[in-house]
């Protein structure tokens, strides 16, 4: 029933790009994705509860879970049923490097995870949790050490309004379709999802672009004008080459080139 | 990959209650469902494009489809791919008496069905289409003869923003969880979803309640007060019995009784 | 505990202006009220379930009720408690010419009145019901004959989310403060609330303005330009006097004049 | 100060396509525009106050006006100032065939035009008025005969919250950029804006597509399946040719073909 | 005219539970309240302007005030009228331990309190101010020392849009009904309102639950799984007893038990 | 094509008031503006990405730019076209003391400026950037040193949804009309726009009011009541005079006095 397709080959490929991908800001990656026609890779409004810090980037494999509105009245917690409840199976099956993505329809009136589940997600080795909805125990979650991205806080438990229905299937994360096995790139500006092959593209071409942007920022901060440096004209491209030994990639590439 | 469980037994049960269920307004059914603790059976804001008319009720078996936000750039329509596209497979597998329910995340900027798909849904014998999102060709759809419930109209096709991902799986219909095989009851006030056993309960107990409500409305329209008639006190319950030969059911039943 | 102050004197004053006030459109009345500095007399988004028809205007005395979000779990309907429940006391105390205004916080997920309460409100002689929230049984309500203005429809009863708390006290009607004893003026564009003395002002000065507007509309429909007729310059004011025997009031009066 | 560029050549071109363009539904035109990469041609949520009727389409040249939030306190209407007020200059300069498009920021609390301005807009020969905001006197406007599209109704005049600032300049119409001299196509599904050259493309290619869609709808209504007819496979394309003598255009054209 | 019922007995009861209640997080308290069927105890989106800090909880008696939209034009401040203006009477009648709760309809365009009123509320001994609406002077308020919860900031004074109407009456606080004399529990996750008897229940049963949650969090942080510890099975409940000497309360109690 | 009227005289006037204006909080200035009937001077919801700090105020001349929704498909960046693109011309024409105000329709899905444009805006000597819409590279922008106010963050570049259309023309900044050459006053509560003559009024009268407010705050913090001090009665006004040597201005001035 899972749509997650992942084997040693995918693992190897992710390991190979993890560091490079983490050197690219979500802003730069988003620009490259849109140039590919991927308009909707960003999970809008899902921001970290606590700032990660400039330059900190999270990379991981998406594991997905889905909630829908509750139908039946809530019943007392049944430990046996809970053992096979989709969100618990998902959490207990997380592997190091995963980023758990929960689609809770953006509902702001029920907290999907609290401090204990956050601690367990961290304990399983996950890199982050992203909730399209609310979290509870937010003051405690900030202490747990797991980066948690969410749309809202609400002290009630998820069962007030929602029930888990399945996991490792396609979901909606605040306007972004996420498939299990997608690669997530996140920083203080939020999170992006993309398939492994696009992640490889970003890891291959994002760093040179990031480097160029940093160089331009420095030039502009030192008084350079947009006309000269952003994008660099031929003269400034040569300056870039002379100073860094690198070819300046196009700031806004032609779609066919990428 | 479908979650639809439906056989001759279910069909027989639905046939047995179809007429009784259709005699109950969504308002009365909703009241009974909430008394059972089913708070979220109503699909909020999904209303018929064209009025059905007072007393017209639609009953059918839910067939579900789901869209998510588009990832890849749109490509020209490929007839082979379309043949196995989830929304087409779903439509072409509809059976008489079905009500197709499409979760398009409530997105108002892309029309999920237009006049041609509406015509085909009708041609397959479906009773209605309910779209958690927008429809296009709304002026034409009104002529097709299929009752269509939606949240918005937008002239663009679905591919502007959305792609179909699966069918006959649990979905969100504007705050209501719908499972394939649910029973839908709809009228000009909108649509409810419930499992077959609850539908049987509503079919069994709704009509007597509806009859009482109509009797009360007549009494009140003739000058009766709320104090006397709504709910009827013992004297008025006797009057009801005398006039109709029927026992007055409790207007607001105790949860344990139902 | 009621804030309603109303006696024979107020009744006489209302009777005296009822017809004149009903000859003024809400658009003209709203303009005059704003010229007085009354910016917030309009109940935004509360529109009639069924069109009243061009020129039909409703005038009545405001009777107010208020709901808040439910705290305690809902219990079975207790006829004794219901007898003193604020919304029932309010309805059963309505007098001919009243317009019942219910503040339900704009909540769209619970219907405040249905067909039976609408029938009773009509039976008590009320002119209209205005609900800052939802109504249920909307298809039936349209048949009852009582003009009902609301923000939404929802099949559930009010108790799903709300409880009545008091009546004949100041309330919020979709951005408009309404006091018990206010005068309501409503047509297909919606409803306005104002105190009796302002209603007298509108009744005194609105009709001449309405007459002028109709004359202007006729002139413009016949080809007159805005420059000449809207507002009328001295020559066109003379034309108005010549044709109608009436002095043209200022279209946009100076505040101190009114 | 106007950005409107329009001469006899443009007029001739518009006259040449007016009838063909009016034979294309907004749904079909929208599809073709998106295939060109024009995602945002639709004015979302601006719908006609009164239904135009199936098949009625409006075509005209866009004349644009813009309001911003009021800064200064409102002063009594000054006839001299009004004569040069942008919205009045715009209205009095309308020419037959124009469609006036007013960007009022979508503000729902002040009516931009009422019955008199509507009558004058009609008197100037305009085809329709489209308001990104509210209108007042809506019950009367429906009688005037001018098709008026708007987002809301509110009885107050525009000056409650807004002031006109300029005209015949680029504006935002509910998510659609409109330039003066754009061609507007509108029906009961709403309105689209596009430059003249794209309008010519739609007029040239829309009708054959509309014809094919109608033929498909007929086939599907008679029991044809989506697989066979939508889009038509080679056999059904031949059937179309045999029955109509026309080549079937691609339902979803390759971008490079158009 | 006040609905506040509070005497030495209530004061004694509050004193008795204050410390225990303050040891319970809003998340834990909210869970217990929902288990009692109190779904709507949380004031959604009303968060502290400045973080209180992990573990800081505020407990106090609710004193309520209510604003509605302004009707009349604003007049210069009249010191005599102000003396009896409801919001001033309320503030000047605050007693140590009170939490002032102001329902300003959630209006984001007018600040209900600024730095001076905040300083006075603190001066009266109040524990916190919670505003269902906006506050002004937010940068200064953060310096005052009074915890202030609000939905928005806006530099204008309340009179731009609102007027106070009454105090110590039932109000709506962002989806939560609050009665004067309710007990408020607030921390960085927001604020809950409940009657004194429920507060006593939370004070009696919340701490043991909080203690268990902390114990579970520790176990899970040390590598324990959800299956074993959340909720604890019999073996882990015994471990809890052995380590802490305490009986583990049910994490999700059966409704009838509480 | 620019509406900016600014010469040595205006510059001199701004220099003359800059320090005094910066000593007035936006809350105090907003109050004075509303007393003049300027209700809409505040840009709602546009807050600094990083706190400025208590007492830090920004004053500058408004330079305005405007975006609308994108029509044509995005094309690769053309350095020549970019040179005359309105937003680039605007940025490269900024002068020391300017505050750049960009109306991007409030669209939250495309970042108008990132770190490089922020660096250049700072490099041109501008005081701040205010975006009615989103910014990208927000983590980096916080490091640049330019105060940036915005409604949202989004990693994509502006071209995802928007295109620049003109500059130095009237714009809408989140409910506030801003003209080029307006004076902007901003602090951690947000930003106000006003013409130079009103800015002179605020600079002349705001400081004495601010001083009084601070004195009142001190008195109230020391235990003074609202009745005595806010506004100060005659006795307390005398106390103010005695302690500070200054006349107490009216807290809420009569409109005609200002």
């Amino acid at each position: 029933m899972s749509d997650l397709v992942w084997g040693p080959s995918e693992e190897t490929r992710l390991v190979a790009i993890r560091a490079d991908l983490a050197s690219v800001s979500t802003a730069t990656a988003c620009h490259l994705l849109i140039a590919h026609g991927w308009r909707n890779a960003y999970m809008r409004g899902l921001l970290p509860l606590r700032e990660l810090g400039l330059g900190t980037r999270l990379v991981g494999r998406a594991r997905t879970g889905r909630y829908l509105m509750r139908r039946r009245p809530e019943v007392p917690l049944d430990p046996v049923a809970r053992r096979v409840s989709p969100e618990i199976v998902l959490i207990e099956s997380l592997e190091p490097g995963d980023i758990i993505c929960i689609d809770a329809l953006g509902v702001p009136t029920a907290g999907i995870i609290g401090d204990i589940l956050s601690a367990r997600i961290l304990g399983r080795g996950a890199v982050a949790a992203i909730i399209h909805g609310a979290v509870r125990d937010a003051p405690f979650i900030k202490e747990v050490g797991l980066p948690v991205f969410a749309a809202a806080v609400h002290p009630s438990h998820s069962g007030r309004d929602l029930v888990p229905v399945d996991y490792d299937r396609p979901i909606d994360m605040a306007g972004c379709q996420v498939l299990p096995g997608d690669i997530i790139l996140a920083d203080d500006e939020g999170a992006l999802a993309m398939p492994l092959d696009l992640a490889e593209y970003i890891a291959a071409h994002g760093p040179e672009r990031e480097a160029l942007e940093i160089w331009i920022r420095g030039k502009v901060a030192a008084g350079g004008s947009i006309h000269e440096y952003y994008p660099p004209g031929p003269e400034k491209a040569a300056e870039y080459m002379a100073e860094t030994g690198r070819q300046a990639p196009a700031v806004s590439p032609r779609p066919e080139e990428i």
Side-chain angles (χ1 to χ4, degrees), chain A:
Chain A
M1 141 173 170
S2 159
D3 288 356
L4 178 64
V5 178
W6 193 269
S9 152
E10 282 77 14
E11 189 61 31
T12 303
R13 290 166 63 191
L14 174 54
V15 166
I17 63 170
R18 189 178 278 273
D20 283 341
L21 191 56
S23 72
V24 183
S25 69
T26 55
T28 294
C30 188
H31 196 172
L32 286 168
L33 288 167
I34 292 175
H36 266 68
W38 285 60
R39 289 174 50 81
N40 297 318
Y42 180 63
M43 309 177 193
R44 193 147 74 79
L46 308 188
L47 294 173
L49 290 189
R50 149 165 292 178
E51 259 191 28
L52 305 173
L54 182 61
T56 300
R57 311 254 164 64
L58 308 172
V59 169
R61 179 183 69 160
R63 299 294 305 282
T64 64
R66 187 163 71 112
Y67 281 73
L68 291 175
M69 293 299 287
R70 167 176 290 287
R71 291 156 66 98
R72 310 178 175 281
E74 199 169 9
V75 292
L77 194 62
D78 169 359
V80 176
R82 186 168 170 88
R83 186 164 282 271
V84 295
S85 189
E87 88 284 18
I88 300 301
V89 174
L90 172 60
I91 289 173
E92 289 295 333
S93 74
L94 291 174
E95 296 177 13
D98 282 348
I99 291 182
I100 185 171
C101 298
I102 305 275
D103 174 7
L105 304 175
V107 168
T109 53
I112 295 301
I113 60 172
D115 56 346
I116 295 175
L117 292 186
S118 296
R120 182 57 179 160
I121 291 166
L122 183 67
R124 294 287 316 170
V127 169
I130 312 180
I131 310 296
H132 178 215
V135 295
R136 63 194 292 260
D137 284 320
F140 276 111
I141 286 180
K142 292 180 186 174
E143 301 300 309
V144 164
L146 178 77
V148 174
F149 296 65
V153 298
H154 195 289
S156 84
H157 65 299
S158 62
R160 180 186 186 271
D161 291 313
L162 295 155
V163 288
V165 291
D166 51 29
Y167 68 95
D168 280 341
R169 303 208 25 95
I171 59 172
D172 172 59
M173 291 297 286
C176 170
Q177 182 187 155
V178 180
L179 304 185
D182 273 354
I183 305 307
I184 306 294
L185 171 66
D187 61 18
D188 276 326
E189 194 140 299
L192 300 166
M194 66 201 85
L196 183 50
D197 58 349
L198 264 181
E200 289 171 327
Y201 176 85
I202 303 295
H205 296 278
E208 64 189 23
R209 198 168 301 277
E210 197 78 43
L212 174 62
E213 296 245 340
I214 290 168
W215 184 83
I216 294 173
R217 190 188 314 139
K219 293 295 178 182
V220 167
S225 81
I226 299 302
H227 292 327
E228 290 176 298
Y229 282 103
Y230 193 49
E235 186 184 342
K236 298 307 178 190
E239 182 179 329
Y240 182 68
M241 168 70 89
E243 292 188 7
T244 67
R246 279 182 293 204
Q247 187 75 31
V251 166
S252 174
R254 300 184 67 84
E256 60 268 34
E257 289 170 2
I258 63 175

